[in-house]
Amino acid sequence: MLTRRLRETGAEVVVVDNGLVGGPELGLSGVTYIDGDVLDTGSWEKALDGVDAVVHLAAIVGDPACGVDTDTAWNVNYLGTIRVAEACRRAGIRSLVFASTCSNYGFTADAEVGVWSPMAPQSVYAESKVLSEHYLLSLPRDEFFPRLLRFATIHGLSPRMRFDLAVNVMTANAVEHGRVTVHGGTQWRPFLHVEDAAAAVHLVLGDDRPAAPSIYNCGFGEENYRMDSIGKLIAEEVDGVHMEILEEHTDPRNYRVNFDPIRRELGFTPSRRVVDTAREIRDAMRAGKYSDFASPRYSNYLTAVAQRVDPVSA
Ligand SMILES: NC(=O)c1ccc[n+]([C@@H]2O[C@H](COP(=O)([O-])OP(=O)(O)OC[C@H]3O[C@@H](n4cnc5c(N)ncnc54)[C@H](O)[C@@H]3O)[C@@H](O)[C@H]2O)c1
């Protein structure tokens, strides 16, 4: 998504990805692809010559996927961030955009959180992002300026489709099984379409104000939802769907986030909302796509389980 957007603006793009969970969208012209690991920057560092900015997206993404092998999650997410930042500094690259997450806020008692609110990570995934942020913010800001984007939970159709994200999988289940299941329902979460996430990175890359903030919450105030209202919204878009609310909470996270600064300062406004994703996934599935949406290839957790090396047999 981001690569396409950057190409549309004429930027040359180098993508480094180790293909762990599907990898990048291949075959775009003007894009150089490197099969590389963030933990092994030495093998691809030369590619940073002449680069103006780096966007660090690579990670083991999501609480369940990180829980499969927490050592690997810490290595890739925390150590990997240190390695990428060090490589940028050696290459004299000032601008690094880091993909962080609103999951860092973890659990808040219904009040809206801002960038300086306390963080309460509930998982190795969020802890590794919080510590990565601390590391990046601790670096001297003279010749290196990391910008942290704490993304809301992403949704929407994308080239590397994920059906382990709440809105996507709930919509797919609604279409396929005629059922929307909500666990708990009273917990708040902010959501952001993947196209808008790419737009935000693009805006930040173009923001060269010397006093630009280091951290933005990345999303939209009106896209904070209680999970039961997400269920209702999807049920309204897919005919004949039954919604069930289970008391059991499978995810302790609950946070409502203030996104005013990124809108006020960078003019960041939504191009799509949760309802648009419900419609786009519904329509894609009715057109015959994604009948295999439960396949491990759409799930970071199932991919991590399939790739786990059993320590006994290793
Ligand atoms: N999806 C969300 O809801 C969400 C929310 C907040 C923040 N983020 C952050 O945005 C970024 C992108 O997330 P995504 O949803 O596109 O996830 P994703 O799992 O689709 O993408 C992660 C990419 O990193 C690559 N990768 C993993 N380990 C690597 C390694 N050691 N070296 C090189 N590449 C490696 C994978 O192959 C994959 O292409 C991540 O940093 C994530 O933490 C995502």
Side-chain angles (χ1 to χ4, degrees):
M1 258 332 158
L2 177 62
T3 310
R4 273 193 211 183
R5 179 173 286 265
L6 294 172
R7 281 300 299 140
E8 280 162 15
T9 62
E12 280 178 50
V13 182
V14 179
V15 176
V16 180
D17 195 296
N18 70 352
L20 181 79
V21 288
E25 184 188 9
L26 298 170
L28 296 174
S29 69
V31 182
T32 305
Y33 298 94
I34 296 175
D35 181 2
D37 197 300
V38 288
L39 291 169
D40 180 23
T41 48
S43 69
W44 52 267
E45 204 167 327
K46 278 237 160 301
L48 293 177
D49 289 350
V51 163
D52 297 314
V54 169
V55 184
H56 178 36
L57 301 169
I60 309 291
V61 181
D63 297 1
C66 287
V68 172
D69 176 353
T70 54
D71 287 350
T72 300
W74 274 111
N75 277 335
V76 174
N77 293 6
Y78 180 54
L79 195 55
T81 300
I82 294 174
R83 296 259 165 90
V84 169
E86 282 174 348
C88 289
R89 295 175 79 205
R90 279 194 295 275
I93 297 169
R94 177 175 150 75
S95 174
L96 173 77
V97 178
F98 173 64
S100 192
T101 171
C102 286
S103 282
N104 294 351
Y105 298 115
F107 188 88
T108 61
D110 284 359
E112 217 182 42
V113 289
V115 286
W116 301 116
S117 299
M119 293 192 272
Q122 303 287 312
S123 63
V124 165
Y125 172 59
E127 283 172 8
S128 69
K129 292 286 185 178
V130 169
L131 283 199
S132 297
E133 287 195 1
H134 283 306
Y135 168 76
L136 291 171
L137 295 172
S138 74
L139 295 170
R141 251 185 70 167
D142 44 0
E143 287 166 4
F144 183 60
F145 185 18
R147 310 285 304 274
L148 281 40
L149 283 178
R150 289 185 189 145
F151 289 110
T153 301
I154 307 293
H155 58 87
L157 291 176
S158 64
R160 207 302 263 185
M161 191 56 198
R162 287 186 57 189
F163 278 109
D164 54 355
L165 294 168
V167 174
N168 295 0
V169 71
M170 286 166 78
T171 307
N173 275 317
V175 175
E176 185 73 16
H177 304 300
R179 197 175 59 239
V180 172
T181 305
V182 176
H183 293 266
T186 57
Q187 66 277 40
W188 285 87
R189 291 277 286 280
F191 291 93
L192 174 68
H193 194 279
V194 61
E195 285 276 12
D196 287 331
V201 173
H202 192 211
L203 280 173
V204 168
L205 287 171
D207 175 19
D208 53 9
R209 291 172 297 157
S214 303
I215 314 173
Y216 279 122
N217 287 329
C218 186
F220 305 107
E222 60 270 45
E223 292 295 275
N224 282 295
Y225 294 91
R226 265 174 51 144
M227 288 309 294
D228 52 0
S229 59
I230 290 283
K232 276 191 208 127
L233 189 152
I234 292 169
E236 277 166 18
E237 295 304 321
V238 184
D239 301 335
V241 160
H242 167 69
M243 177 167 134
E244 61 178 354
I245 297 197
L246 303 181
E247 271 185 33
E248 170 211 8
H249 271 246
T250 51
D251 186 338
R253 288 175 294 171
N254 177 41
Y255 44 88
R256 223 162 104 194
V257 179
N258 183 301
F259 297 104
D260 293 346
I262 192 166
R263 181 178 294 224
R264 193 176 55 240
E265 294 169 23
L266 299 184
F268 185 49
T269 49
S271 74
R272 290 173 181 77
R273 305 191 59 186
V274 164
V275 67
D276 298 306
T277 284
R279 290 173 185 157
E280 69 187 20
I281 290 180
R282 174 199 66 197
D283 294 347
M285 291 183 73
R286 285 186 179 160
K289 293 183 88 179
Y290 303 120
S291 55
D292 63 341
F293 76 91
S295 157
R297 71 195 174 102
Y298 299 120
S299 158
N300 285 358
Y301 169 71
L302 294 176
T303 302
V305 169
Q307 290 174 345
R308 178 170 45 192
V309 179
D310 179 351
V312 178
S313 59

